[in-house]
Amino acid sequence: MTSFAQRCGLESSERDAECRRVAQLIEASGIELVRFGWCDAHGMLRGKTLTAKAALRALHDGVGMVGTLMLKDTADRTAWKVFEPGGADGLPGFAGAANLMLMPDPQSFTVLPWLERTGWLRCQPWFGDGTPVPLDARGMLQTALAQLGKKGYGLKTGLEVEFHIYRITDTRPQLDPELAAWPGLPPTVEMIHPGYNLQAEAMSDMSDEPLRIVQRTAQALGLPLQSLEIELGPSQVEAVFDATDALTAADQMVLFRNGVRQALRRAGYHATFMCRPPFPNIMSSGWHLHQSLVDLKTGRNACVRDTPAPGTTRADATHTLSEAGAHWLAGLLSHARGMTVLCTPTINGFARFRPNALAPQAALWGQDNRGAMLRVVGAAGDNATRIENRVGEPAASPYLYMAAQIHAGLDGLARAALPPPASESPYAADNQKLPSSLGEGLEALRADSALCAALGEDFVRYFCRIKQSEIDRHAQAEDKTDFERREYFART
C-alpha cells in the first residue's frame, strides 16, 4: 500500500533518510508531542499537535485539516459560504469544508526551546488526490523562485523587523468567560520602555529581560539573529538577521514571530507584530526587506557592478547597481502600487504611510534614503550592494511579501526597464502615492494586470475576498479602535 507522500510524489531516498533521522531525534530527545504547523495567507501559524507515535506515521501519511482554515479572514471567520450550493465556486476542493492534508518537511524538524519535550514540523497543504493546493502562500513563493531560477538568478534577503513588546499586567480581559467574544480581547499591558530615545543604552537595559528571551529563543531555533535594538517608539524594538536565500528567510520569519510570541507570553509579556498598536502615542513598526539577486552559476551578488556606468551620477541607478539590479529596481517601482497590499495586508498597516516618519508614502527610490520606498544601499564594487524595500509591515505573510518582489522584479528584467532618477524629496506632493488604505491597495492589485497574471487570477480573487471581509467588518464596527485591538493586537 502506497503512502500519501508517495501519491504526492514526495517520497525519495533522501526524504526517507530524513524521516529516519527525525524518528531517531524524537526517540533520543524524549519528544512526547510534535506540532505540525502550516502558515496561512495572513502569515499566522496553524496546525495540529500529534503524539510522537502518531507524528512518525504522519511523516509519510500526512495529517488532515479542515479546508476552511485556508478561507479565514483576520477574525477567523470563513469568507466563503462553503455549505451553500455554489458557495465555493471558483475554489474546487473546498466545498462542504472538505479535508485537506498537511504534509510535513522532515528537514524542518525543530525542538521548541520554550516547551518541554515538544517538536515542530513545517507543513504545506495538499488535496486528498495528492495534488498541491495552489493557493498555499509558501507554494506561491516556491513557484516565483522557480521562475526566477529559470532566468539564472536566486534571491537573497535580509530581515529587519520592528515590533512591540509589552509586559502583561492582567490576563482577565482576555480569559474572562464573561468577556469572551469573536474576536476576543487582548490582555491588559504596560510598556517595557518609555520610548523616544532611539537605541539608548538605558532603554535597552530597562528592556533586558524580554530582549534576552527574544535572543535565546531565536538562537535556540537556529535563526541567524544579528542584533536587537531599541526603536524610537514606546515599547518598540527591532530584530535584524543575517541575509540568506529568500525561502529560508521567509521560513525564519514565520518561526521567529511564532516563537517570540509564545516564549514571551510564558514569561508574562505580550509581543505584537501589529503595525500600530491601539494606544494614543505610538510609532509604526515596519518590516524592511533587504534583497539582492544572486547569480546561480557563480554565487555572486548580481546587483553589484565593478565601476559606475559612464556618464552617470548617484541619481542614476546604474551608477550603483548592475544592469540586472537596475532592471530589478525598475520592476519593483513599476509594480509598487499593485504589490503594496501583499506587503502591508492589514487596515492598520496603511496608517504607517505618513510623511517624515521613516516610512514610505510614494513609489520612488533613493540612494540610501530612508524616506524612500526603495532604498539603494552600497556602491560600485561593494559586495553588500542591495535594495531595501521599506513598504512592508511586520504582520505580513513573508511568502507573499517575497513572491511579490520576485514577480515585480522579473517583469523589470524581462522588459530591460530602467528606473527614473533617484528622489531626494520622498515626501513631495507631486510624487506618485502608494495606496492609502487596504481597499485602495486591493484595487491597485487588481489593476496591475502583469502582477495578477504572475500571481494567478485565482489567487488574486482568493486574496482579495479574504481581505474584503476584513474591510467590510471594519466598516460595520462602531468603535474602530476596539476593532483593531481585537483584530490585530490580540492576535498578530
Side-chain angles (χ1 to χ4, degrees):
M1 185 174 178
T2 59
S3 67
F4 188 69
Q6 287 174 312
R7 296 205 298 275
C8 294
L10 296 177
E11 284 289 19
S12 65
S13 58
E14 292 81 5
R15 188 179 189 278
D16 191 54
E18 281 296 316
C19 289
R20 290 196 301 271
R21 180 186 67 85
V22 170
Q24 292 167 358
L25 281 172
I26 288 175
E27 183 177 356
S29 304
I31 295 293
E32 297 174 348
L33 298 172
V34 181
R35 294 180 178 182
F36 282 59
W38 158 77
C39 189
D40 70 10
H42 308 290
M44 300 292 291
L45 270 179
R46 301 175 183 267
K48 292 190 173 183
T49 302
L50 277 63
T51 63
K53 185 177 180 180
L56 296 180
R57 291 196 303 268
L59 284 170
H60 301 282
D61 293 325
V63 58
M65 78 166 190
V66 59
T68 52
L69 282 179
M70 291 197 70
L71 310 181
K72 301 292 188 182
D73 63 17
T74 48
D76 220 49
R77 297 183 184 274
T78 303
W80 281 261
K81 297 180 179 180
V82 296
F83 296 111
E84 297 183 6
D89 284 354
L91 289 172
F94 286 90
N99 244 20
L100 302 176
M101 296 297 291
L102 288 179
M103 280 304 298
D105 176 1
Q107 287 188 318
S108 69
F109 181 76
T110 302
V111 177
L112 296 182
W114 63 90
L115 283 170
E116 287 188 5
R117 296 176 178 157
T118 303
W120 183 87
L121 283 161
R122 182 183 60 250
C123 302
Q124 288 181 250
W126 293 71
F127 289 121
D129 64 0
T131 57
V133 179
L135 303 177
D136 172 47
R138 190 172 191 269
M140 298 288 294
L141 177 55
Q142 289 171 311
T143 297
L145 285 166
Q147 293 174 5
L148 182 61
K150 291 178 181 178
K151 301 297 181 183
Y153 297 111
L155 185 66
K156 188 174 184 179
T157 58
L159 309 181
E160 186 179 313
V161 188
E162 297 166 347
F163 60 108
H164 290 79
I165 302 174
Y166 297 91
R167 183 177 290 104
I168 296 173
T169 58
D170 191 353
T171 60
R172 283 176 294 178
Q174 188 174 44
L175 300 179
D176 186 343
E178 298 291 341
L179 299 177
W182 191 357
L185 288 165
T188 302
V189 298
E190 65 183 15
M191 300 183 303
I192 61 168
H193 71 77
Y196 305 117
N197 205 349
L198 182 64
Q199 295 183 357
E201 188 170 315
M203 299 297 99
S204 182
D205 192 68
M206 183 181 291
S207 310
D208 182 69
E209 182 180 60
L211 290 181
R212 294 273 184 172
I213 294 170
V214 173
Q215 168 233 320
R216 290 166 182 158
T217 301
Q219 291 178 334
L221 289 170
L223 307 181
L225 181 68
Q226 184 184 111
S227 68
L228 287 169
E229 301 169 4
I230 296 298
E231 265 299 325
L232 180 59
S235 229
Q236 188 180 39
V237 300
E238 180 183 63
V240 179
F241 296 83
D242 293 336
T244 185
D245 69 276
L247 187 60
T248 298
D251 291 338
Q252 290 172 345
M253 181 63 168
V254 171
L255 264 182
F256 177 70
R257 286 191 305 212
N258 189 60
V260 161
R261 277 194 294 257
Q262 293 183 38
L264 283 171
R265 176 72 189 218
R266 285 171 168 266
Y269 295 93
H270 179 76
T272 178
F273 291 82
M274 174 186 187
C275 179
R276 291 182 61 80
F279 304 114
N281 299 302
I282 207 71
M283 297 293 289
S284 299
S285 289
W287 172 9
H288 307 146
L289 188 64
H290 295 255
Q291 56 193 281
S292 59
L293 289 171
V294 176
D295 186 317
L296 293 180
K297 289 183 179 178
T298 65
R300 293 190 58 203
N301 182 346
C303 287
V304 178
R305 67 180 312 120
D306 294 331
T307 58
T312 61
T313 69
R314 279 177 53 82
D316 299 301
T318 51
H319 189 79
T320 303
L321 297 171
S322 66
E323 298 297 324
H327 300 330
W328 188 267
L329 177 64
L332 296 178
L333 283 174
S334 297
H335 300 284
R337 284 181 53 81
M339 76 159 69
T340 295
V341 75
L342 297 169
C343 311
T344 293
T346 68
I347 290 168
N348 175 266
F350 280 85
R352 173 172 163 261
F353 300 150
R354 302 179 178 189
N356 305 305
L358 292 175
Q361 195 180 32
L364 47 77
W365 74 281
Q367 285 279 4
D368 204 2
N369 188 324
R370 285 181 167 83
M373 172 187 167
L374 299 168
R375 172 183 170 231
V376 173
V377 185
D382 182 354
N383 288 330
T385 296
R386 61 197 183 276
I387 300 167
E388 177 192 23
N389 193 337
R390 298 175 64 82
V391 78
E393 67 167 314
S397 161
Y399 303 114
L400 299 181
Y401 189 174
M402 294 184 194
Q405 311 302 291
I406 294 169
H407 289 308
L410 277 171
D411 181 62
L413 287 170
R415 294 184 291 111
L418 289 175
S423 173
E424 294 184 355
S425 51
Y427 298 114
D430 58 347
N431 291 328
Q432 183 191 34
K433 296 295 188 290
L434 296 172
S436 59
S437 68
L438 182 58
E440 188 182 345
L442 294 178
E443 291 175 7
L445 173 60
R446 286 189 287 254
D448 191 325
S449 57
L451 191 54
C452 286
L455 292 166
E457 296 289 348
D458 289 344
F459 173 80
V460 173
R461 281 193 296 270
Y462 159 77
F463 181 80
C464 288
R465 180 155 179 173
I466 286 177
K467 302 313 293 184
Q468 187 61 49
S469 177
E470 183 179 335
I471 293 170
D472 293 344
R473 282 183 295 93
H474 182 262
Q476 295 164 8
E478 293 183 7
D479 187 332
K480 308 302 185 188
T481 300
D482 185 62
F483 172 92
E484 297 196 4
R485 187 185 305 274
R486 295 170 181 269
E487 196 90 358
Y488 309 125
F489 188 63
R491 303 162 73 92
T492 58

